[in-house]
Amino acid sequence: MSFVDALECSEPGTLRLVRRPAPVRGPGEILVRPRRVGICGTDYHIFEGKHPFLNYPRVMGHELAVEVVEAPEDSDFSSGDIAVVNPYLSCGTCIACRRGKPNCCTRIEVLGVHRDGGMTELLSLPAVNLVRSEGLSLDACAAVEFLAIGAHAVRRSRMQAGDHALVVGAGPIGLGAALFAARSGASLTIMDRDPERLAAATAMLGSVTAVVADSDADARIAELTGGDGYDIVLDATGNLQSIQAGFSSVAHGGTYVLISVVKGDISFTDAEFHRREMSLLGSRNAMAEDFSAVIAAIRAGAIPVDALITHRTSLADAADNLPRWAVQKQGLVKALIEL
Protein backbone atom coordinates (compact mmCIF):
# COMPACT_ATOMS: atom_id res chain seq x y z
CA MET A 1 0.00 0.00 0.00
CA SER A 2 1.27 3.45 -0.89
CA PHE A 3 0.86 6.52 1.30
CA VAL A 4 0.58 10.28 0.84
CA ASP A 5 1.14 13.30 3.05
CA ALA A 6 -1.90 15.29 4.15
CA LEU A 7 -2.34 18.34 6.37
CA GLU A 8 -4.96 17.38 8.97
CA CYS A 9 -6.86 19.64 11.35
CA SER A 10 -7.42 17.04 14.05
CA GLU A 11 -9.30 19.45 16.33
CA PRO A 12 -9.71 23.22 16.62
CA GLY A 13 -6.27 24.79 17.01
CA THR A 14 -4.30 21.68 15.99
CA LEU A 15 -2.76 21.13 12.54
CA ARG A 16 -0.39 18.27 11.76
CA LEU A 17 1.16 16.62 8.73
CA VAL A 18 0.06 12.98 8.62
CA ARG A 19 0.64 9.96 6.39
CA ARG A 20 -2.50 8.45 4.91
CA PRO A 21 -3.21 5.62 2.47
CA ALA A 22 -3.15 6.92 -1.09
CA PRO A 23 -6.64 7.22 -2.60
CA VAL A 24 -7.79 4.75 -5.24
CA ARG A 25 -9.76 6.08 -8.19
CA GLY A 26 -13.41 5.06 -7.90
CA PRO A 27 -16.02 4.59 -10.65
CA GLY A 28 -16.64 7.83 -12.51
CA GLU A 29 -13.75 9.50 -10.71
CA ILE A 30 -10.47 11.08 -11.76
CA LEU A 31 -7.30 10.78 -9.72
CA VAL A 32 -5.60 14.17 -9.41
CA ARG A 33 -2.55 15.72 -7.83
CA PRO A 34 -3.28 19.07 -6.13
CA ARG A 35 -0.70 21.61 -7.34
CA ARG A 36 -2.05 24.76 -5.72
CA VAL A 37 -4.41 25.03 -2.74
CA GLY A 38 -5.83 28.40 -1.77
CA ILE A 39 -6.22 28.99 1.95
CA CYS A 40 -9.73 30.34 2.46
CA GLY A 41 -11.45 32.15 5.30
CA THR A 42 -13.35 28.88 5.75
CA ASP A 43 -10.06 27.10 6.44
CA TYR A 44 -9.10 29.67 9.08
CA HIS A 45 -12.56 29.26 10.65
CA ILE A 46 -12.16 25.46 10.66
CA PHE A 47 -8.79 25.80 12.37
CA GLU A 48 -10.30 28.20 14.91
CA GLY A 49 -13.37 26.00 15.55
CA LYS A 50 -15.80 28.59 14.21
CA HIS A 51 -17.29 26.73 11.23
CA PRO A 52 -20.92 25.62 11.71
CA PHE A 53 -20.95 22.65 9.28
CA LEU A 54 -17.92 20.57 10.25
CA ASN A 55 -16.76 17.45 12.05
CA TYR A 56 -13.12 16.80 13.01
CA PRO A 57 -10.61 15.54 12.04
CA ARG A 58 -10.61 17.17 8.61
CA VAL A 59 -8.19 17.65 5.73
CA MET A 60 -9.06 21.14 4.51
CA GLY A 61 -8.70 22.70 1.08
CA HIS A 62 -11.32 23.44 -1.57
CA GLU A 63 -9.68 26.14 -3.74
CA LEU A 64 -7.77 23.82 -6.02
CA ALA A 65 -5.62 23.72 -9.11
CA VAL A 66 -4.97 20.05 -9.91
CA GLU A 67 -3.02 17.93 -12.36
CA VAL A 68 -4.74 14.84 -13.73
CA VAL A 69 -2.92 11.62 -12.80
CA GLU A 70 -5.41 9.00 -14.01
CA ALA A 71 -8.74 9.36 -15.80
CA PRO A 72 -11.33 6.91 -17.19
CA GLU A 73 -10.92 5.99 -20.85
CA ASP A 74 -14.11 7.84 -21.81
CA SER A 75 -13.07 11.03 -19.97
CA ASP A 76 -12.43 14.40 -21.60
CA PHE A 77 -9.31 14.66 -19.43
CA SER A 78 -5.92 13.04 -19.92
CA SER A 79 -2.93 12.51 -17.68
CA GLY A 80 -1.04 15.77 -17.24
CA ASP A 81 -4.03 18.06 -17.87
CA ILE A 82 -4.41 21.01 -15.50
CA ALA A 83 -7.93 21.63 -14.19
CA VAL A 84 -10.00 23.76 -11.87
CA VAL A 85 -12.05 21.93 -9.23
CA ASN A 86 -15.69 22.65 -8.46
CA PRO A 87 -15.59 21.51 -4.81
CA TYR A 88 -19.37 21.24 -4.33
CA LEU A 89 -20.39 17.58 -4.58
CA SER A 90 -24.16 17.47 -5.01
CA CYS A 91 -26.58 14.54 -4.94
CA GLY A 92 -28.43 15.39 -8.17
CA THR A 93 -31.84 14.31 -6.84
CA CYS A 94 -32.88 16.59 -3.96
CA ILE A 95 -35.26 19.53 -4.33
CA ALA A 96 -32.42 22.02 -4.82
CA CYS A 97 -30.72 19.87 -7.46
CA ARG A 98 -34.03 19.31 -9.26
CA ARG A 99 -34.48 23.09 -9.37
CA GLY A 100 -31.04 23.57 -10.90
CA LYS A 101 -29.38 24.78 -7.70
CA PRO A 102 -26.74 22.14 -6.86
CA ASN A 103 -24.81 24.83 -4.97
CA CYS A 104 -27.30 24.47 -2.11
CA CYS A 105 -28.00 20.73 -2.45
CA THR A 106 -29.64 19.41 0.72
CA ARG A 107 -26.98 16.67 0.90
CA ILE A 108 -24.07 18.72 -0.39
CA GLU A 109 -20.53 17.68 0.44
CA VAL A 110 -18.00 20.47 0.08
CA LEU A 111 -14.41 19.33 -0.24
CA GLY A 112 -12.44 20.29 2.82
CA VAL A 113 -15.59 20.88 4.86
CA HIS A 114 -18.01 17.94 4.76
CA ARG A 115 -15.37 15.55 3.39
CA ASP A 116 -11.60 15.66 3.17
CA GLY A 117 -10.21 18.16 0.71
CA GLY A 118 -7.13 19.08 -1.25
CA MET A 119 -4.38 19.70 1.32
CA THR A 120 -2.87 16.37 0.34
CA GLU A 121 -0.67 14.86 -2.37
CA LEU A 122 -3.39 12.87 -4.17
CA LEU A 123 -7.17 13.13 -4.39
CA SER A 124 -9.87 11.19 -6.25
CA LEU A 125 -12.82 13.29 -7.43
CA PRO A 126 -15.97 12.79 -9.47
CA ALA A 127 -15.15 13.60 -13.08
CA VAL A 128 -18.10 16.01 -13.23
CA ASN A 129 -16.41 18.21 -10.63
CA LEU A 130 -13.38 18.96 -12.78
CA VAL A 131 -13.54 22.11 -14.90
CA ARG A 132 -11.32 22.65 -17.92
CA SER A 133 -8.77 25.34 -17.17
CA GLU A 134 -8.72 26.82 -20.70
CA GLY A 135 -4.98 27.49 -20.46
CA LEU A 136 -5.03 29.29 -17.09
CA SER A 137 -1.93 29.20 -14.91
CA LEU A 138 -1.86 27.07 -11.77
CA ASP A 139 -2.22 30.19 -9.63
CA ALA A 140 -5.20 31.40 -11.65
CA CYS A 141 -6.89 27.98 -11.46
CA ALA A 142 -6.63 28.07 -7.66
CA ALA A 143 -8.28 31.51 -7.62
CA VAL A 144 -11.35 30.53 -9.67
CA GLU A 145 -13.45 29.06 -6.85
CA PHE A 146 -13.27 31.97 -4.42
CA LEU A 147 -13.86 34.45 -7.23
CA ALA A 148 -16.85 32.40 -8.37
CA ILE A 149 -18.46 32.87 -4.94
CA GLY A 150 -18.38 36.63 -5.44
CA ALA A 151 -19.54 36.33 -9.03
CA HIS A 152 -22.48 34.18 -7.88
CA ALA A 153 -23.49 36.73 -5.23
CA VAL A 154 -23.47 39.54 -7.78
CA ARG A 155 -25.55 37.44 -10.17
CA ARG A 156 -27.98 36.64 -7.35
CA SER A 157 -28.40 40.35 -6.66
CA ARG A 158 -29.43 41.06 -10.28
CA MET A 159 -27.10 44.03 -10.23
CA GLN A 160 -27.30 46.30 -13.27
CA ALA A 161 -25.31 49.15 -14.74
CA GLY A 162 -26.07 52.33 -12.83
CA ASP A 163 -26.94 50.63 -9.55
CA HIS A 164 -25.27 51.96 -6.42
CA ALA A 165 -23.65 48.98 -4.72
CA LEU A 166 -21.81 48.52 -1.43
CA VAL A 167 -19.52 45.56 -0.73
CA VAL A 168 -18.72 45.15 2.95
CA GLY A 169 -15.50 43.25 3.59
CA ALA A 170 -12.33 43.59 1.49
CA GLY A 171 -11.07 40.05 1.99
CA PRO A 172 -10.78 37.62 -0.93
CA ILE A 173 -14.53 36.91 -1.17
CA GLY A 174 -15.41 40.59 -0.90
CA LEU A 175 -12.81 41.45 -3.52
CA GLY A 176 -14.32 38.82 -5.84
CA ALA A 177 -17.76 40.32 -5.34
CA ALA A 178 -16.38 43.82 -5.90
CA LEU A 179 -14.57 42.81 -9.09
CA PHE A 180 -17.75 41.40 -10.59
CA ALA A 181 -19.88 44.26 -9.27
CA ALA A 182 -17.54 46.61 -11.11
CA ARG A 183 -17.86 44.50 -14.27
CA SER A 184 -21.65 44.90 -14.06
CA GLY A 185 -21.29 48.66 -14.46
CA ALA A 186 -22.50 49.49 -10.95
CA SER A 187 -21.24 52.52 -9.04
CA LEU A 188 -19.20 50.76 -6.37
CA THR A 189 -18.29 51.45 -2.74
CA ILE A 190 -16.23 49.02 -0.67
CA MET A 191 -16.03 49.12 3.12
CA ASP A 192 -13.65 47.45 5.56
CA ARG A 193 -12.29 48.25 9.00
CA ASP A 194 -8.69 47.79 7.79
CA PRO A 195 -7.36 50.82 5.85
CA GLU A 196 -4.53 48.71 4.41
CA ARG A 197 -7.01 46.27 2.90
CA LEU A 198 -9.01 49.15 1.48
CA ALA A 199 -5.91 50.62 -0.12
CA ALA A 200 -5.14 47.25 -1.75
CA ALA A 201 -8.75 46.97 -2.93
CA THR A 202 -8.81 50.42 -4.51
CA ALA A 203 -5.50 49.69 -6.26
CA MET A 204 -7.05 46.57 -7.82
CA LEU A 205 -10.50 47.98 -8.56
CA GLY A 206 -9.67 51.44 -9.83
CA SER A 207 -12.88 53.47 -9.88
CA VAL A 208 -14.24 52.66 -6.43
CA THR A 209 -15.07 54.61 -3.28
CA ALA A 210 -13.51 53.30 -0.06
CA VAL A 211 -15.12 53.69 3.37
CA VAL A 212 -13.43 52.75 6.64
CA ALA A 213 -15.82 50.83 8.89
CA ASP A 214 -15.41 53.04 11.95
CA SER A 215 -17.68 55.26 14.03
CA ASP A 216 -18.04 57.71 11.13
CA ALA A 217 -19.07 55.06 8.57
CA ASP A 218 -22.83 55.67 8.81
CA ALA A 219 -22.40 59.40 8.24
CA ARG A 220 -20.07 58.75 5.31
CA ILE A 221 -22.57 56.34 3.70
CA ALA A 222 -25.37 58.87 4.16
CA GLU A 223 -23.18 61.51 2.52
CA LEU A 224 -22.27 59.27 -0.43
CA THR A 225 -25.87 58.22 -1.09
CA GLY A 226 -27.69 61.46 -0.27
CA GLY A 227 -29.28 59.63 2.65
CA ASP A 228 -30.90 57.06 0.35
CA GLY A 229 -28.66 54.06 1.06
CA TYR A 230 -27.47 51.58 -1.54
CA ASP A 231 -29.53 49.73 -4.13
CA ILE A 232 -27.54 46.59 -3.35
CA VAL A 233 -25.43 45.72 -0.31
CA LEU A 234 -23.30 42.56 -0.23
CA ASP A 235 -21.75 41.45 3.07
CA ALA A 236 -18.65 39.27 2.91
CA THR A 237 -17.25 39.90 6.39
CA GLY A 238 -18.14 36.74 8.29
CA ASN A 239 -18.90 39.07 11.21
CA LEU A 240 -22.24 38.96 13.00
CA GLN A 241 -22.21 42.62 14.04
CA SER A 242 -21.31 43.75 10.53
CA ILE A 243 -24.14 41.74 8.99
CA GLN A 244 -26.68 43.20 11.40
CA ALA A 245 -25.40 46.74 10.88
CA GLY A 246 -25.66 46.34 7.09
CA PHE A 247 -29.47 46.40 7.10
CA SER A 248 -29.40 50.16 7.69
CA SER A 249 -27.29 50.72 4.55
CA VAL A 250 -29.89 49.29 2.16
CA ALA A 251 -32.11 51.73 0.27
CA HIS A 252 -35.90 51.51 0.20
CA GLY A 253 -36.71 48.79 -2.31
CA GLY A 254 -33.08 47.62 -2.20
CA THR A 255 -31.46 44.21 -1.86
CA TYR A 256 -29.20 42.81 0.85
CA VAL A 257 -27.08 39.77 -0.06
CA LEU A 258 -25.40 37.74 2.68
CA ILE A 259 -22.40 35.88 1.29
CA SER A 260 -20.58 34.92 4.48
CA VAL A 261 -21.66 32.28 6.98
CA VAL A 262 -21.61 32.91 10.74
CA LYS A 263 -22.57 30.95 13.81
CA GLY A 264 -25.47 32.42 15.73
CA ASP A 265 -28.72 34.22 15.02
CA ILE A 266 -29.01 37.40 12.96
CA SER A 267 -31.51 39.97 14.20
CA PHE A 268 -32.95 43.08 12.58
CA THR A 269 -35.77 45.52 13.23
CA ASP A 270 -38.81 44.04 11.51
CA ALA A 271 -40.68 47.33 11.12
CA GLU A 272 -37.71 48.97 9.40
CA PHE A 273 -37.23 45.90 7.18
CA HIS A 274 -40.85 46.09 6.02
CA ARG A 275 -40.84 49.86 5.70
CA ARG A 276 -38.09 49.57 3.12
CA GLU A 277 -39.61 46.48 1.44
CA MET A 278 -36.10 45.13 1.40
CA SER A 279 -35.13 41.90 -0.37
CA LEU A 280 -32.89 39.69 1.76
CA LEU A 281 -30.94 37.01 -0.10
CA GLY A 282 -28.55 34.29 0.95
CA SER A 283 -25.78 33.43 -1.51
CA ARG A 284 -24.15 30.04 -1.08
CA ASN A 285 -21.17 28.68 -2.99
CA ALA A 286 -21.29 29.03 -6.78
CA MET A 287 -22.62 27.31 -9.90
CA ALA A 288 -21.11 26.12 -13.17
CA GLU A 289 -21.98 29.38 -14.95
CA ASP A 290 -20.13 31.33 -12.26
CA PHE A 291 -17.00 29.24 -12.75
CA SER A 292 -17.27 29.85 -16.51
CA ALA A 293 -17.72 33.60 -15.96
CA VAL A 294 -14.61 33.77 -13.78
CA ILE A 295 -12.48 31.75 -16.19
CA ALA A 296 -13.59 34.00 -19.06
CA ALA A 297 -12.80 37.13 -17.02
CA ILE A 298 -9.32 35.86 -16.13
CA ARG A 299 -8.63 34.95 -19.77
CA ALA A 300 -9.74 38.45 -20.76
CA GLY A 301 -7.19 39.97 -18.37
CA ALA A 302 -9.91 41.51 -16.19
CA ILE A 303 -8.85 39.84 -12.92
CA PRO A 304 -5.53 40.85 -11.27
CA VAL A 305 -4.59 37.34 -10.12
CA ASP A 306 -0.99 38.28 -9.31
CA ALA A 307 -2.16 41.06 -6.99
CA LEU A 308 -4.64 38.78 -5.24
CA ILE A 309 -2.01 36.17 -4.30
CA THR A 310 0.22 37.67 -1.62
CA HIS A 311 1.53 34.70 0.42
CA ARG A 312 2.88 31.23 -0.39
CA THR A 313 3.86 28.16 1.58
CA SER A 314 4.43 24.42 1.23
CA LEU A 315 2.24 21.62 2.56
CA ALA A 316 4.69 20.92 5.40
CA ASP A 317 5.21 24.58 6.32
CA ALA A 318 1.47 25.33 6.23
CA ALA A 319 1.13 23.65 9.63
CA ASP A 320 3.02 26.65 11.05
CA ASN A 321 1.99 29.35 8.59
CA LEU A 322 -1.78 28.84 8.48
CA PRO A 323 -2.25 29.40 12.26
CA ARG A 324 -0.03 32.49 12.06
CA TRP A 325 -1.91 33.95 9.08
CA ALA A 326 -5.19 33.33 10.90
CA VAL A 327 -4.25 36.17 13.26
CA GLN A 328 -1.56 38.14 11.40
CA LYS A 329 -3.48 39.62 8.47
CA GLN A 330 -1.13 42.47 7.54
CA GLY A 331 -0.60 42.44 3.77
CA LEU A 332 -2.54 39.18 3.40
CA VAL A 333 -5.08 38.80 0.63
CA LYS A 334 -4.78 35.20 -0.57
CA ALA A 335 -2.26 32.57 0.52
CA LEU A 336 -1.46 29.53 -1.62
CA ILE A 337 -0.02 26.14 -0.70
CA GLU A 338 2.28 24.96 -3.50
CA LEU A 339 2.69 21.23 -4.09
Side-chain angles (χ1 to χ4, degrees):
M1 178 183 291
S2 58
F3 292 83
V4 295
D5 286 339
L7 186 64
E8 179 186 87
C9 186
S10 53
E11 61 183 6
T14 302
L15 281 179
R16 59 192 185 116
L17 198 65
V18 299
R19 295 287 285 171
R20 289 187 162 197
V24 176
R25 182 173 65 83
E29 294 188 338
I30 294 180
L31 188 67
V32 300
R33 177 177 292 110
R35 297 288 306 279
R36 298 287 188 275
V37 184
I39 301 176
C40 175
T42 295
D43 301 319
Y44 296 121
H45 289 159
I46 291 170
F47 171 74
E48 294 166 334
K50 297 178 181 178
H51 199 283
F53 304 133
L54 189 112
N55 294 314
Y56 297 88
R58 180 62 67 228
V59 174
M60 301 178 292
H62 60 274
E63 300 177 2
L64 304 177
V66 300
E67 178 182 349
V68 174
V69 175
E70 181 182 294
E73 291 184 0
D74 60 352
S75 172
D76 293 334
F77 290 92
S78 302
S79 178
D81 285 349
I82 301 299
V84 175
V85 173
N86 180 334
Y88 320 126
L89 281 62
S90 56
C91 72
T93 59
C94 74
I95 185 169
C97 289
R98 296 197 305 271
R99 289 177 173 175
K101 293 179 66 68
N103 59 307
C104 57
C105 167
T106 63
R107 292 186 287 273
I108 197 167
E109 290 188 308
V110 180
L111 291 177
V113 179
H114 304 93
R115 60 182 282 181
D116 286 342
M119 293 186 186
T120 184
E121 294 178 303
L122 285 175
L123 193 63
S124 190
L125 299 172
V128 295
N129 286 84
L130 259 63
V131 182
R132 302 204 71 84
S133 66
E134 307 295 346
L136 268 59
S137 68
L138 288 169
D139 286 358
C141 287
V144 169
E145 191 272 344
F146 82 81
L147 291 168
I149 291 174
H152 180 70
V154 171
R155 188 164 62 86
R156 284 274 288 153
S157 76
R158 299 185 178 180
M159 193 178 298
Q160 298 178 353
D163 282 341
H164 293 274
L166 171 66
V167 174
V168 187
I173 300 299
L175 285 173
L179 284 163
F180 282 88
R183 284 177 64 80
S184 77
S187 174
L188 180 62
T189 299
I190 188 164
M191 183 165 69
D192 197 280
R193 61 187 177 187
D194 186 342
E196 183 184 9
R197 274 191 168 187
L198 284 176
T202 54
M204 289 183 210
L205 294 163
S207 181
V208 61
T209 301
V211 174
V212 178
D214 58 16
S215 58
D216 297 325
D218 289 345
R220 179 68 174 140
I221 287 172
E223 176 189 353
L224 289 169
T225 64
D228 288 338
Y230 288 92
D231 302 309
I232 297 168
V233 177
L234 303 100
D235 187 280
T237 64
N239 180 278
L240 183 64
Q241 289 72 35
S242 173
I243 291 172
Q244 293 179 162
F247 282 85
S248 65
S249 300
V250 182
H252 283 238
T255 299
Y256 193 15
V257 184
L258 305 184
I259 309 174
S260 52
V261 177
V262 295
K263 281 187 174 181
D265 297 332
I266 296 168
S267 62
F268 54 89
T269 303
D270 184 64
E272 188 65 23
F273 177 78
H274 278 82
R275 189 169 73 89
R276 301 183 189 210
E277 198 180 53
M278 186 190 307
S279 296
L280 178 62
L281 300 176
S283 182
R284 187 179 185 192
N285 300 328
M287 296 173 66
E289 50 261 57
D290 304 308
F291 280 77
S292 297
V294 171
I295 290 170
I298 293 174
R299 285 175 57 82
I303 305 296
V305 172
D306 291 343
L308 289 167
I309 298 168
T310 56
H311 293 56
R312 296 176 187 271
T313 187
S314 66
L315 190 64
D317 290 341
D320 294 322
N321 287 327
L322 192 154
R324 179 163 54 84
W325 292 334
V327 293
Q328 296 179 10
K329 301 292 188 182
Q330 186 174 9
L332 175 65
V333 179
K334 173 58 62 176
L336 287 185
I337 297 173
E338 297 183 339
L339 291 91

